[in-house]
Amino acid sequence: MNRLTQGVILLLFGGAILRASFTDLYLRYVKEGLRPFLIATGVLLVAAAVMTIWYSWRFPAEHDDDGHGHSEHGPGVGWLLILPVLGLLLVAPPALGSYAANQAGSVAAAPVGDSDYPPLPEGSTVELSLIDYASRALFDEGKSLTGRDLKLTGFITTAPDGAPMLARMVLSCCAADGRPIKLGLTGRAPIDVPADTWVQVTGVYTGQRGKDPVNNVDVAFLEVKSWQEVPQPKQPYA
């Protein structure tokens, strides 16, 4: 591959990173706080690409000759490396969903320590993250949840027995290390809803528990009172 080809690929790759960074697309790959690093990386790649292309045009003889009278032109197949880069520019892959959730074991919800869980905010219905609900349900025996209507948002996945579960992917850094947090659903659970459908469920705490068959982690349950389909959130990961 000659330097011109390298420069074009660098330019497209840097452009793809910048395009994702200046839209919400990057949230499908990394956590929100990494946006400045993506922008810096994209700028550096574009700058390197511009310098490489300029050098190949400014000094074509020096670029094409290896000093022994041999031309440095690489095989045309090198340009095929542009295809995956164009894929990043033209096709936006979806965020991790039910397939990834079913392949990986549920995140083990962690207790807050020796102190009690703080009381939930006032209001008729309290919105919680899945991991906050699971942590309070499993390690606080639902003390801070009892008697409250709770609203949670996630996508539908299925248990091995076909029962619907509510899930959301949790990232440490990027989508490559994403793992799911899963909740079992009882009551008026969304039955026969396609996997990957995003729903907002309103329900109450139940002491029922289960096990994730993938890694044998405890799974909390929620008794559903009502639910509705919602668009995928801007930030799909927890």
Side-chain angles (χ1 to χ4, degrees):
M1 183 190 302
N2 59 34
R3 287 190 178 178
L4 178 59
T5 307
Q6 295 171 0
V8 172
I9 292 175
L10 278 176
L11 183 63
L12 290 174
F13 191 46
I17 293 176
L18 289 176
R19 172 180 174 268
S21 301
F22 286 113
T23 65
D24 294 335
L25 182 60
Y26 79 100
L27 293 173
R28 301 184 185 184
Y29 305 102
V30 299
K31 299 188 74 170
E32 191 169 8
L34 295 178
R35 186 178 197 174
F37 299 99
L38 283 179
I39 294 174
T41 300
V43 169
L44 287 175
L45 286 174
V46 169
V50 170
M51 292 300 296
T52 300
I53 293 172
W54 176 84
Y55 188 85
S56 68
W57 285 346
R58 182 68 176 81
F59 305 104
E62 182 179 336
H63 163 65
D64 290 336
D65 198 301
D66 64 2
H68 300 284
H70 301 119
S71 177
E72 198 183 86
H73 292 297
V77 72
W79 285 96
L80 293 178
L81 293 174
I82 292 179
L83 295 179
V85 181
L86 288 177
L88 289 175
L89 282 169
L90 303 177
V91 180
L96 296 177
S98 63
Y99 178 80
N102 288 335
Q103 300 302 308
S106 183
V107 171
V112 296
D114 296 331
S115 61
D116 293 333
Y117 282 81
L120 296 178
E122 297 295 328
S124 58
T125 304
V126 180
E127 189 164 353
L128 287 178
S129 68
L130 271 66
I131 200 162
D132 190 14
Y133 175 84
S135 180
R136 290 171 181 265
L138 296 174
F139 297 103
D140 194 36
E141 301 297 331
K143 294 175 184 176
S144 59
L145 302 171
T146 303
R148 303 297 303 273
D149 283 345
L150 309 167
K151 184 181 294 182
L152 294 86
T153 302
F155 58 83
I156 294 296
T157 187
T158 54
D161 62 0
M165 301 183 77
L166 192 67
R168 198 149 182 174
M169 301 300 292
V170 180
L171 302 189
S172 298
C173 170
C174 58
D177 59 33
R179 290 183 60 193
I181 177 72
K182 307 174 189 177
L183 295 181
L185 301 175
T186 64
R188 299 180 179 177
I191 306 297
D192 297 328
V193 174
D196 291 314
T197 301
W198 282 83
V199 297
Q200 187 175 77
V201 300
T202 300
V204 294
Y205 165 75
T206 174
Q208 182 176 343
R209 297 185 182 186
K211 291 284 187 179
D212 189 326
V214 179
N215 61 349
N216 207 39
V217 163
D218 287 335
V219 173
F221 274 69
L222 177 77
E223 183 177 339
V224 179
K225 297 171 67 174
S226 64
W227 64 274
Q228 62 178 345
E229 186 174 340
V230 295
Q232 177 179 293
K234 170 186 172 182
Q235 172 54 278
Y237 303 123

